Amino acid sequence: MSTQHGNKVYFQVLLDPARALLLTQKASDKGVKATALAREAIYQWLATTTDPSLINAAETMDKALWKQSVQNRIAGKRLKKTTSID
């Protein structure tokens, strides 16, 4: 089951304790969070099991969505700055 979290999709994954410990240790060795390492592993798996044109299209859409989200934040900050009363 998944839910929306802004522009992202939130998945909850339950791992068995020993393998969760392995993931945590690997992430610590790499200096990243376990969730970031798991996300990267999923993206790599998708890249190896999905048609490259589909992966490229998905990456392009994700990058465009991210860019739009950044632009929206910038526009929001500008608007707040121009309408704020000091």
Side-chain angles (χ1 to χ4, degrees):
M1 185 159 142
S2 63
T3 57
Q4 284 294 122
H5 185 268
N7 287 331
K8 304 262 184 186
V9 179
Y10 179 84
F11 286 93
Q12 184 175 6
V13 179
L14 299 175
L15 299 177
D16 292 315
R19 285 176 278 187
L21 180 60
L22 288 174
L23 177 64
T24 303
Q25 289 172 341
K26 289 283 187 183
S28 178
D29 291 347
K30 291 181 174 264
V32 298
K33 293 181 180 181
T35 52
L37 185 59
R39 178 178 47 247
E40 188 56 36
I42 291 168
Y43 289 167
Q44 287 176 3
W45 176 79
L46 283 171
T48 62
T49 61
T50 306
D51 183 83
S53 63
L54 290 175
I55 288 294
N56 290 337
E59 288 176 354
T60 299
M61 288 190 309
D62 288 342
K63 287 177 183 178
L65 201 58
W66 173 251
K67 187 175 181 179
Q68 184 59 51
S69 137
V70 170
Q71 292 302 317
N72 290 346
R73 282 188 297 220
I74 291 169
K77 287 182 181 184
R78 280 189 190 137
L79 181 62
K80 184 177 179 180
K81 211 175 209 182
T82 60
T83 60
S84 67
I85 301 172
D86 291 324

